[in-house]
Amino acid sequence: MKKNFKPEDELLFLALGGSGEIGMNVNLYGCQGKWLMVDLGMSFGSNEYPGTELMFADPEFIEERSEDLLGIVLTHAHEDHIGAIPYFAAELDVPLYATPFTADLIIRKLDEAGLTTQVELNVIDDDHGEIDIGPFTITYIPLAHSIAEGNALLIDTPHGRVFHTGDWKLDEEPQIGTPATDEELTEIGDEGVLALVCDSTNVFNPAPSGSEGAVYRGLLEEVQKHAGKRVLVTTFASNVARLQTLGEVAKRTGRQLCVAGRSLDRIIEVAQANGYLEEFPQTVDFDGAMSLPRGEVMILATGGQGEPRAALSRIAEDTHPLGLDEGDVVLFSSRVIPGNEIAIGRIQNMLAERGITMVTDRQSEIHVSGHPGRPELEALYGWLRPELLVPVHGEMRHMQEQARLGRASGIPQAVVQKNGDIIRLAPGTPEKLAEVRTGRLVLDGDIIVPADGDAITMRRRLSRDGMLIVVLDGQGGVQIEGVGLPLDEDYGDFVEEAEADVITAIGKLKGGRARDREVVYEAARLAARRAAQRWSGKKPQTKVIFAGE
């Protein structure tokens, strides 16, 4: 490999996001001087980066080599695989490739961002559609997942074939779509697979993920238990199969369906435009739902992850046009995403206080995962029989465990990599060639900034320690204002003492030091900060202002 990391006559793999973390999936394959990107995803903001809404893998590596990037191929429409497209696709300036359902959602994102004329989007057949891009021939392989048109990619190169799973599971009753059969996957294995680049999310799950068909039966049974009660079901909006199930459950139980949440409205519209949910029942509006007898309506609502502005939260707070009464039922047909436990618990506690019954997947089979457990991984290994396993889509513990599982299942080699590792898959023995800089970006207001930049670092410090503002009037007077200090009852006494300390500290400066603004600034800052630490145990961020300047 050349020093500028331009691929030579070899096959390279480089994850910019999604390896060492769950989310922000951005993967690159390199061959004969060119790069191919698979997915361009994001994650939602976290408490680690206060005040931010979205997180992205930093695409700097490929932005600097955009002339060698051939295109971006999207496996499916979840946000951790397509969510960054409106923010980076125009700058990368290469064609996008996606199946119809995924493409429709991307078009809407580009339209909202005013980018429809700036980004080329190619729609590929969702049943084994094929693309030729430079040295790569890509075939879409449909697999089950918790969204319509989940696909693996079979990437044919001069150095062998890669089976890039995307997000997947095995499901004999998927409700939506027709996944590749074990015979079809075995045939792919018979023709040879160099590398399996595989989802690691549920590698610690000893059981299969479960079937959407079983969820249909579980939801039907659960709703039937609550005759005469208003039933609300919350689920991931993007799970078209689950929406199909809930439409059927509503019809089977004699309930009219009411949908609450813009993301649900959007997914239903896109699904129906692409040939899904064709028999989805006609819905009723909020007023119509509330006028029906309680046992004749089923509400489908967003907000199962505790989002404060989503429909379920507002219903729990009794600030939404839809309402629940004591004895009504909320079914959580979704899993708890790590990090959302407190937010979900807040909503569940509000519901419990009002006497509303709640059912989760711990009590009833009303949800299954969209990612493979160990038995499914072992089955795929047996069908494809790859020479090499490259775990992705997981934290380091997930990827290491999948590597162990793969080797134990007979895969000759496994490479555990992380974001930034350039791995040569072929020719020769797979190896790490180099490590390039990767990082995170965050959407902070309307601006994308480094996650470890000054603004986020300072905001984190402010949230932890508070702030002091010291104003020097130039006549020997001092005024101090504290923000976020735990001194409610003692605040006045603290300010009086801190102002006196600042006056004393400045008074000790003699000669030229007393006229040196930087020296005066630092003396005032340290005196005020030490007073705050003495009173509160905090070391607040402290800014000194010279009045009149």
Side-chain angles (χ1 to χ4, degrees):
M1 170 180 278
K2 299 175 182 176
K3 289 184 179 179
N4 66 356
F5 303 115
K6 193 179 185 74
E8 299 181 351
D9 189 14
E10 58 193 345
L11 178 58
L12 306 179
F13 176 77
L14 166 62
L16 298 182
S19 287
E21 63 202 355
I22 295 178
M24 295 182 282
N25 296 284
V26 183
N27 300 291
L28 294 169
Y29 290 93
C31 187
Q32 296 181 350
K34 300 299 180 181
W35 293 98
L36 175 75
M37 182 180 289
V38 174
D39 292 328
L40 183 54
M42 67 166 198
S43 290
F44 293 98
S46 71
N47 293 334
E48 186 180 356
Y49 306 112
T52 64
E53 296 184 20
L54 306 176
M55 289 190 294
F56 311 102
D58 189 342
E60 178 185 31
F61 173 86
I62 197 63
E63 284 178 337
E64 293 176 349
R65 298 160 179 81
S66 59
E67 70 278 3
D68 294 328
L69 181 63
L70 297 173
I72 304 171
V73 183
L74 292 315
T75 58
H76 67 284
H78 275 145
E79 292 292 339
D80 60 330
H81 293 258
I82 68 167
I85 287 173
Y87 301 94
F88 301 106
E91 185 173 346
L92 291 170
D93 194 25
V94 294
L96 274 57
Y97 302 86
T99 57
F101 176 83
T102 302
D104 200 334
L105 286 169
I106 291 171
I107 288 169
R108 291 164 190 256
K109 287 179 174 291
L110 294 174
D111 185 52
E112 289 174 5
L115 296 173
T116 48
T117 61
Q118 298 180 44
V119 178
E120 177 188 337
L121 176 59
N122 299 278
V123 182
I124 308 302
D125 187 350
D126 63 323
D127 185 11
H128 296 79
E130 190 173 293
I131 320 162
D132 286 309
I133 312 175
F136 306 97
T137 298
I138 302 105
T139 305
Y140 276 88
I141 307 295
L143 295 178
H145 186 44
S146 53
I147 195 169
E149 298 177 14
N151 286 279
L153 302 176
L154 184 61
I155 305 173
D156 204 343
T157 78
H159 294 280
R161 302 197 305 171
V162 176
F163 193 95
H164 184 107
T165 67
D167 294 3
W168 69 283
K169 63 180 288 184
L170 298 180
D171 194 337
E172 295 181 355
E173 302 176 88
Q175 307 301 300
I176 289 289
T178 306
T181 63
D182 53 357
E183 291 83 8
E184 290 173 309
L185 294 169
T186 299
E187 185 177 339
I188 291 172
D190 291 343
E191 295 169 356
V193 173
L194 169 68
L196 172 61
V197 179
C198 190
D199 178 356
S200 306
T201 311
N202 276 355
V203 67
F204 290 107
N205 189 344
S209 57
S211 170
E212 282 294 329
V215 172
Y216 166 72
R217 292 184 287 275
L219 282 166
L220 178 60
E221 179 183 349
E222 195 62 45
V223 174
Q224 287 173 334
K225 287 180 185 177
H226 303 289
K229 306 295 184 183
R230 192 173 288 127
V231 172
L232 181 150
V233 185
T234 183
T235 191
F236 297 113
S238 59
N239 193 335
V240 178
R242 195 68 49 84
L243 303 184
Q244 168 96 355
T245 287
L246 290 167
E248 290 300 313
V249 168
K251 289 189 286 187
R252 285 282 303 274
T253 56
R255 293 173 181 265
Q256 295 197 53
L257 197 60
C258 178
V259 175
R262 283 177 294 178
S263 58
L264 281 166
D265 292 333
R266 182 174 66 251
I267 290 291
I268 291 169
E269 181 182 337
V270 172
Q272 291 178 330
N274 288 278
Y276 304 103
L277 303 182
E278 291 181 335
E279 298 182 8
F280 196 72
Q282 185 70 35
T283 59
V284 296
D285 62 19
F286 297 163
D287 290 338
M290 294 306 293
S291 67
L292 288 168
R294 291 165 66 192
E296 295 181 15
V297 65
M298 185 168 79
I299 300 166
L300 178 54
T302 57
Q305 296 304 309
E307 301 95 322
R309 295 189 296 272
L312 179 59
S313 178
R314 293 166 56 206
I315 291 169
E317 294 168 348
D318 204 16
T319 60
H320 192 279
L322 292 172
L324 296 174
D325 299 318
E326 184 175 353
D328 287 341
V329 181
V330 175
L331 307 182
F332 286 83
S333 185
S334 56
R335 70 179 179 91
V336 176
I337 295 177
N340 292 343
E341 296 87 352
I342 292 175
I344 295 171
R346 181 186 69 87
I347 289 174
Q348 291 180 339
N349 283 327
M350 285 192 291
L351 294 169
E353 189 172 358
R354 294 173 54 193
I356 294 164
T357 300
M358 286 166 285
V359 181
T360 72
D361 62 342
R362 294 185 178 185
Q363 300 151 275
S364 182
E365 192 169 9
I366 59 173
H367 177 67
V368 292
S369 174
H371 299 273
R374 293 172 81 89
E376 292 154 286
L377 290 166
E378 291 167 331
L380 188 66
Y381 301 159
W383 295 327
L384 296 179
R385 288 149 287 151
E387 300 173 34
L388 168 66
L389 173 65
V390 182
V392 293
H393 204 292
E395 298 172 5
M396 185 55 67
R397 60 195 174 100
H398 300 98
M399 297 190 299
Q400 287 281 9
E401 182 61 22
Q402 190 184 174
R404 283 190 284 268
L405 180 64
R407 285 189 288 259
S409 300
I411 298 178
Q413 300 176 88
V415 173
V416 179
Q417 48 77 53
K418 64 182 185 302
N419 294 339
D421 290 348
I422 298 182
I423 306 297
R424 179 191 284 140
L425 302 178
T429 302
E431 61 176 326
K432 176 179 173 178
L433 298 183
E435 185 172 341
V436 300
R437 195 192 78 79
T438 59
R440 290 179 176 180
L441 303 176
V442 292
L443 181 63
D444 192 4
D446 295 329
I447 301 173
I448 294 176
V449 298
D452 58 356
D454 292 342
I456 304 301
T457 300
M458 178 58 73
R459 198 172 300 152
R460 195 180 293 128
R461 291 172 179 169
L462 290 171
S463 68
R464 182 187 64 215
D465 293 322
M467 182 176 185
L468 278 182
I469 299 173
V470 181
V471 179
L472 306 181
D473 66 5
Q475 306 297 320
V478 177
Q479 184 177 350
I480 289 179
E481 186 73 31
V483 179
L485 296 177
L487 295 171
D488 294 354
E489 295 181 358
D490 298 325
Y491 180 74
D493 293 337
F494 154 70
V495 168
E496 183 179 346
E497 184 174 309
E499 289 174 349
D501 286 356
V502 170
I503 291 170
T504 299
I506 294 174
K508 291 180 178 178
L509 300 176
K510 304 299 181 185
R513 288 173 57 81
R515 295 186 294 274
D516 188 319
R517 289 298 180 90
E518 290 186 9
V519 172
V520 172
Y521 182 104
E522 190 64 10
R525 187 187 72 84
L526 288 175
R529 193 180 192 208
R530 286 167 180 160
Q533 184 178 10
R534 191 165 62 245
W535 277 79
S536 68
K538 295 285 187 180
K539 296 180 179 179
Q541 299 303 301
T542 305
K543 182 174 181 59
V544 179
I545 298 172
F546 294 93
E549 294 187 0

